[in-house]
Amino acid sequence: MLKTLLYINEDLASSIALRYMAYLNKVVPIALYVGHVEEADEKEQTGTGWVRRAWEDGVASNGKRLVDRMLRTENIDCPLAGRPKIFVGDRETEIIYELRSGNYDLFAQGYLNTADPDSFFSFISSSLYAKAPCPILVVKNLTVSKKCALLCADSVSPEVLVEKSLPIIGASSLKIDIVYYKFKELEDLKILDREEGGSQLRETESLLAKAGQSVDGVTVITGTPEQTGDFLKEYALVASTFPGRKSMRMQTLANSLASVLLVR
């Protein structure tokens, strides 16, 4: 089972993420933990010793009530593997420590899709994502699909994409497609011959075959990030290596409604 930490707040993004994880649990076995960090202003942090501990307990209690409300409201069809984890302190520091000490296979977090590349890049380039020791699932939408995609491009290392994605999607019942993206501006979306994917596409297929993983379909696609993002919306998730700020792949992921599995 994939030991997974889902970070939640009392917001719509977390609501969607909770429901998405319940769906994902139906196609890949997940040991789901939920976590929340109560961040307090430095001015609120007073005292030492038992005074400090009493203050932290009070703050943590607020976080526990928030998480309990979320879980009652969503009532997801996915049992938790343990009690909700409530932390007090800096959000990124606490989550990174938990991911490392808990040896998680996956970290998941909700993200309300805005189709704004700058906003999306800021989200995925945070210190938390840069230091996370495991793949990250950015839940953008509750897409109920039996398919996932490996997003390839000239800038993608086939070895990294396949090696790091398979522990997550390889154990699932999702059908795996390879989508090879080639940027083309101001033209209609086109499906190209698979030979246009070149050696990187062939290597991706070879690595999957060596891992005993079958591929349901291969598509070489050319168009704008907006067009390609729309093409990807039918997938339950799209696996990709972390994109650069100016890459067309980053803009494609930002424009897609599909949830994104980021690996490095």
Side-chain angles (χ1 to χ4, degrees):
M1 299 184 77
L2 293 175
K3 187 177 182 181
T4 302
L5 178 65
L6 170 65
Y7 183 78
I8 62 174
N9 279 316
E10 199 169 25
D11 55 25
L12 179 57
S14 296
S15 172
I16 293 171
L18 275 165
R19 285 179 277 155
Y20 179 89
M21 297 308 294
Y23 165 72
L24 195 62
N25 184 57
K26 298 181 186 300
V27 295
V28 55
I30 294 175
L32 181 63
Y33 295 82
V34 297
H36 172 76
V37 179
E38 281 289 301
E39 293 185 288
D41 189 281
E42 289 186 4
K43 296 178 181 179
E44 300 176 15
Q45 303 177 22
T46 58
T48 59
W50 71 267
V51 174
R52 173 77 179 198
R53 288 193 296 274
W55 173 82
E56 288 184 348
D57 288 345
V59 175
S61 294
N62 290 334
K64 184 178 184 303
R65 285 193 290 270
L66 178 153
V67 171
D68 287 345
R69 281 197 303 269
M70 282 293 296
L71 294 175
R72 285 197 305 270
T73 299
E74 299 306 326
N75 191 27
I76 61 172
D77 183 20
C78 178
L80 298 184
R83 294 180 179 178
K85 296 176 178 292
I86 311 299
F87 308 99
V88 178
D90 176 74
R91 188 178 71 90
E92 294 189 348
T93 300
E94 295 296 331
I95 294 174
I96 291 170
Y97 179 82
E98 175 63 18
L99 290 174
R100 289 176 175 169
S101 61
N103 293 316
Y104 288 88
D105 301 306
L106 180 67
F107 173 65
Q109 186 175 8
Y111 173 79
L112 286 183
N113 191 56
T114 64
D116 177 7
D118 289 337
S119 175
F120 181 71
F121 184 78
S122 295
F123 187 79
I124 66 172
S125 62
S126 66
S127 176
L128 167 60
Y129 281 23
K131 297 178 181 178
C134 59
I136 295 170
L137 180 60
V138 181
V139 180
K140 301 176 73 175
N141 196 23
L142 183 59
T143 303
V144 179
S145 170
K146 299 296 184 182
K147 302 191 301 179
C148 64
L150 295 180
L151 183 60
C152 301
D154 291 345
S155 59
V156 174
S157 164
E159 295 90 346
V160 173
L161 180 62
V162 173
E163 179 184 344
K164 300 299 183 180
S165 297
L166 277 189
I168 309 299
I169 64 177
S172 76
S173 60
L174 293 169
K175 295 180 179 179
I176 298 177
D177 285 356
I178 299 175
V179 177
Y180 201 98
Y181 173 52
K182 300 171 75 73
F183 171 67
K184 191 89 171 187
E185 190 174 9
L186 301 178
E187 287 193 20
D188 292 336
L189 186 75
K190 292 182 179 179
I191 305 299
L192 306 178
D193 292 335
R194 62 189 298 157
E195 287 76 16
E196 294 288 335
S199 61
Q200 285 183 300
L201 175 55
R202 291 192 295 272
E203 185 175 356
T204 302
E205 291 183 279
S206 175
L207 289 168
L208 288 168
K210 288 179 181 178
Q213 185 65 61
S214 61
V215 176
D216 195 60
V218 175
T219 305
V220 179
I221 193 169
T222 182
T224 65
E226 293 81 7
Q227 292 166 338
T228 308
D230 189 60
F231 176 85
L232 295 171
K233 68 182 179 182
E234 300 301 326
Y235 287 102
L237 63 87
V238 175
S240 170
T241 57
F242 275 81
R245 175 184 287 277
K246 296 182 179 180
S247 74
M248 293 299 102
R249 187 162 46 92
M250 191 281 293
Q251 294 196 34
T252 295
L253 295 171
N255 278 281
S256 177
L257 291 176
S259 295
V260 180
L261 175 66
L262 293 169
V263 300
R264 62 161 54 88

